[in-house]
Amino acid sequence: MSLFCGRQLVLQAIISPLLRHRFNPIMLCADHPSPRNYLQYFSRLILQRSCHSETQLEESKRKWTTEFVDSALEKIRSEDKTFYSVSLKEVMKKLQCLSSANISADQIANLMKESPHFLKGKNMEPILKVLQDQGFEGSGIYEILLSFGRITDEDPTELSALLMFLRSIYRTDRKFTRVVTTHPEVLSLIPAKINARVNTLQELFKSDDVLELTIMSPHIIFEDMETIQEKFDYVFHTMGISQRQMMYSNMFNYSLLHIQTRHVFLERAGFYKKIKKEKGELNSNPLLQDILGLSDKVFAKKFGKMTEQDYKTFAKYFAQEVETYME
C-alpha cells in the first residue's frame, strides 16, 4: 500500500464519522589577591547588585527626563482618559520607586506600554517594600507588575499577610516565587478562598500533588470548579488516564474541547484505545503531555503522517459534532 493510500484510509477513518452527521468541511585576578584587589572586586560587586548602581542611575537619567515621561503619559491618556487623574509629578515619583527597586529603564518603559495601570495605584511605595521584604527583586517585581498592574491598589498589610500564607503553603522559596511571578493574580485572592480550592482539589489528587498542580497550572485556583471537574472526569474516566500522568501533562492549561479533539482524533486514527487493565492489556497509548502539548503540525505528522490542514479540518468538524451533541 502506498503512503498516499495509507494516509487517505486513516483520514477517512477519522473524518467519516463526522460526515455521517452531514457536516460541511570571581574570578579574582591572582591566586593570592592583594587586599587592594579584594577591595576593587567587592566594590564592583556591590555596584552591580545595588539598586542604585552607576549604570542604572545613568540609564535612568538619560531616559526618564520630564519631557520623555510627559510624552509617554500623554500617549497613555490618549488611549485611556482615566489616566488624566494621574499627575506627571506622581508618575515621576513612581518611576523613581521602580528604578530604586532595581527595575531597568527598558522594563519600566515596557510596563508603561503593556500594563500602565500600576501608575494609578495609590500604594506603590509600600507595595514594592512588601515585595522586596518577601525576597522579590527587580525582574521578579517587573513580572508581577506586568501581569498584575492592579497590585498597587492592594492593601500592603493584607498583601504581606497573603504572601506569608502562600509561603507557608509552598514551603520552599522556589515554589513560592514561581507561583507568584507566573500567576500574580493569586495576590488578589484571600487565604480562605485559596484554602477552599486546595481542599476541593485534594478530593481529586494527593495533597502534595495539589501543590505541584497549582505551580504548573496556577490558574487552576481561579477556574470554575465545574470546568476542572469536567476535564478531570473526561481524562480519568473516558481516556482511562491516571492522576500521576495528569500531573505532568499541564492538562488544566487546555480547554476541554482541545482535550476531546486530540483524544478522538487519535482514537479514530487507531493510535489510542482505552486500556482494560483487568484483562492484562499493555498500554501503548501516547503520553498525555504529547497528546495535548504538541503543535497541530507536529501532532498531525506524528500520528498518521497527515498535514496540519488535515487536523484543522477534523477539529472544525469535531467542534460541530460536539455542539450538535450538546443541543
Side-chain angles (χ1 to χ4, degrees):
M1 183 189 295
S2 70
L3 180 62
F4 175 79
C5 291
R7 176 175 170 271
Q8 289 296 100
L9 286 174
V10 173
L11 191 58
Q12 182 180 359
I14 297 172
I15 298 294
S16 57
L18 302 173
L19 297 179
R20 286 198 294 271
H21 289 278
R22 298 180 183 178
F23 294 127
N24 297 319
I26 154 163
M27 223 161 97
L28 295 172
C29 34
D31 291 333
H32 303 284
S34 67
R36 179 181 179 83
N37 285 336
Y38 271 123
L39 182 59
Q40 290 174 343
Y41 166 74
F42 284 112
S43 294
R44 289 195 302 271
L45 185 64
I46 289 168
L47 280 173
Q48 289 169 1
R49 295 186 177 180
S50 169
C51 57
H52 296 288
S53 69
E54 290 179 349
T55 303
Q56 186 173 340
L57 287 174
E58 286 303 316
E59 177 188 29
S60 298
K61 285 177 183 176
R62 287 195 303 271
K63 193 155 192 172
W64 302 118
T65 62
T66 303
E67 293 77 13
F68 180 90
V69 175
D70 188 40
S71 174
L73 182 57
E74 284 306 314
K75 187 175 187 305
I76 295 172
R77 286 170 172 170
S78 69
E79 298 172 357
D80 187 342
K81 304 300 182 185
T82 63
F83 279 89
Y84 277 102
S85 64
V86 185
S87 70
L88 176 61
K89 183 178 179 180
E90 285 180 277
V91 172
M92 292 294 290
K93 182 179 180 181
K94 288 172 180 176
L95 298 187
Q96 184 179 5
C97 287
L98 293 179
S99 182
S100 297
N102 207 19
I103 300 176
S104 72
D106 287 341
Q107 289 174 328
I108 295 173
N110 196 49
L111 283 174
M112 292 182 72
K113 177 183 178 182
E114 302 294 340
S115 183
H117 186 89
F118 75 93
L119 294 172
K120 294 197 285 186
K122 304 299 182 183
N123 298 320
M124 167 76 83
E125 264 189 281
I127 290 297
L128 290 180
K129 185 177 186 308
V130 168
L131 292 174
Q132 289 174 310
D133 288 346
Q134 287 293 331
F136 294 97
E137 299 178 351
S139 293
I141 296 175
Y142 164 72
E143 293 295 339
I144 293 171
L145 288 172
L146 187 62
S147 300
F148 186 44
R150 297 179 187 277
I151 191 174
T152 55
D153 289 325
E154 299 292 320
D155 180 273
T157 303
E158 292 179 0
L159 177 63
S160 180
L162 177 58
L163 287 167
M164 291 296 289
F165 169 75
L166 291 172
R167 188 180 285 280
S168 71
I169 289 180
Y170 292 103
R171 303 187 187 110
T172 69
D173 284 344
R174 181 189 65 81
K175 293 179 179 179
F176 165 73
T177 302
R178 183 177 173 185
V179 167
V180 175
T181 55
T182 59
H183 216 79
E185 292 91 334
V186 70
L187 300 179
S188 66
L189 301 178
I190 59 175
K193 184 171 183 178
I194 298 173
N195 255 336
R197 176 51 55 90
V198 168
N199 290 336
T200 303
L201 290 171
Q202 285 174 348
E203 297 174 7
L204 305 176
F205 298 91
K206 295 178 181 178
S207 298
D208 288 343
D209 288 348
V210 168
L211 296 180
E212 286 298 323
L213 269 174
T214 61
I215 293 171
M216 293 184 285
S217 303
H219 70 274
I220 199 173
I221 298 174
F222 301 89
E223 194 169 32
D224 182 70
M225 193 60 210
E226 184 179 346
T227 302
I228 294 172
Q229 186 72 55
E230 287 177 343
K231 294 178 187 178
F232 178 89
D233 289 343
Y234 186 87
V235 173
F236 186 76
H237 296 294
T238 304
M239 298 179 71
I241 291 177
S242 67
Q243 289 100 323
R244 177 52 51 183
Q245 198 176 150
M246 292 184 204
M247 281 289 303
Y248 300 100
S249 67
N250 291 323
M251 60 170 278
F252 294 104
N253 290 340
Y254 303 99
S255 69
L256 177 60
L257 180 60
H258 176 79
I259 297 171
Q260 293 171 322
T261 304
R262 289 292 177 93
H263 168 235
V264 174
F265 180 94
L266 291 176
E267 199 171 48
R268 294 179 184 174
F271 287 95
Y272 194 99
K273 73 172 186 175
K274 187 174 180 180
I275 302 301
K276 298 177 181 178
K277 295 181 180 179
E278 65 275 10
K279 293 187 177 181
E281 292 183 348
L282 296 177
N283 188 352
S284 59
N285 292 328
L287 294 174
L288 186 59
Q289 55 259 46
D290 288 338
I291 296 173
L292 303 179
L294 295 176
S295 68
D296 290 347
K297 183 177 181 179
V298 174
F299 179 82
K301 184 177 181 180
K302 183 173 183 177
F303 302 111
K305 299 188 183 304
M306 293 183 238
T307 67
E308 182 179 6
Q309 189 56 50
D310 290 336
Y311 174 76
K312 289 185 180 296
T313 300
F314 167 80
K316 176 184 176 181
Y317 286 140
F318 182 71
Q320 293 174 338
E321 182 179 338
V322 170
E323 187 178 347
T324 301
Y325 178 78
M326 296 295 290
E327 288 177 355

